[in-house]
């Protein structure tokens, strides 16, 4: 599957952005989808996932502010980001994997086979 992320940009603290990830190549509905992010000098970290079954999980740092959703008819997964903070500044990556792993592994980037190219989100203070 090929993933194309979009929607990043520059926004002031407290603002909102919506990221989208378009998938092609395989049966999208079979895939667990996720967003990760990587800030300069830091490791890639989990943001949110939306499993093929509908299950959802968020990093504690984004709970209540970010919402992940998917549209299987359009082969897209989105991340609505509200109340953005400067510490949300990072390159955001969408990821996909069709293997059936426990939810606990779905917060670890090593368990995703497919990655998009990343989209930059910059939040100014």
């Amino acid at each position: 599957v090929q993933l194309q992320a979009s929607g990043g940009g520059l926004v002031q603290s407290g603002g909102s952005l919506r990221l989208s990830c378009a998938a092609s190549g395989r049966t999208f509905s079979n895939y667990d989808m996720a967003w990760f992010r990587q800030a300069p000098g830091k490791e890639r970290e989990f943001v949110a996932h939306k499993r093929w079954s509908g299950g959802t999980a968020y990093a504690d740092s984004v709970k209540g502010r970010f919402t992940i959703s998917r549209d299987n008819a359009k082969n897209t997964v989105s991340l609505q980001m509200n109340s953005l903070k400067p510490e949300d500044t990072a390159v955001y990556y969408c990821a996909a994997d069709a293997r059936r792993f426990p939810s606990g592994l779905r917060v670890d980037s090593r368990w995703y086979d497919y990655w998009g190219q990343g989209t930059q989100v910059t939040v100014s203070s």
Side-chain angles (χ1 to χ4, degrees):
V1 65
Q2 296 178 327
L3 304 174
Q4 181 73 38
S6 62
L10 173 64
V11 64
Q12 288 187 335
S13 181
S16 299
L17 280 175
R18 186 177 180 84
L19 306 183
S20 293
C21 178
S24 62
R26 293 292 181 95
T27 306
F28 178 78
S29 60
N30 290 343
Y31 284 74
D32 287 346
M33 302 298 298
W35 289 95
F36 288 79
R37 67 187 182 186
Q38 188 166 18
K42 295 187 177 181
E43 294 188 351
R44 191 168 296 188
E45 66 173 2
F46 169 75
V47 175
H49 72 59
K50 187 77 167 176
R51 307 203 66 182
W52 70 275
S53 58
T56 303
Y58 295 92
D60 287 343
S61 59
V62 307
K63 278 182 183 176
R65 301 188 297 123
F66 291 10
T67 302
I68 188 171
S69 60
R70 65 189 295 165
D71 186 334
N72 289 337
K74 295 182 178 180
N75 286 10
T76 58
V77 60
S78 299
L79 186 69
Q80 178 65 43
M81 306 185 294
N82 298 329
S83 302
L84 282 162
K85 305 175 181 179
E87 51 263 44
D88 295 317
T89 295
V91 177
Y92 284 70
Y93 298 91
C94 60
D97 195 274
R99 294 168 293 178
R100 296 296 180 251
F101 290 138
S103 292
L105 294 183
R106 281 299 178 218
V107 301
D108 188 332
S109 62
R110 294 173 295 175
W111 299 102
Y112 288 85
D113 266 348
Y114 303 98
W115 291 86
Q117 85 287 6
T119 185
Q120 175 70 47
V121 172
T122 303
V123 184
S124 63
S125 57

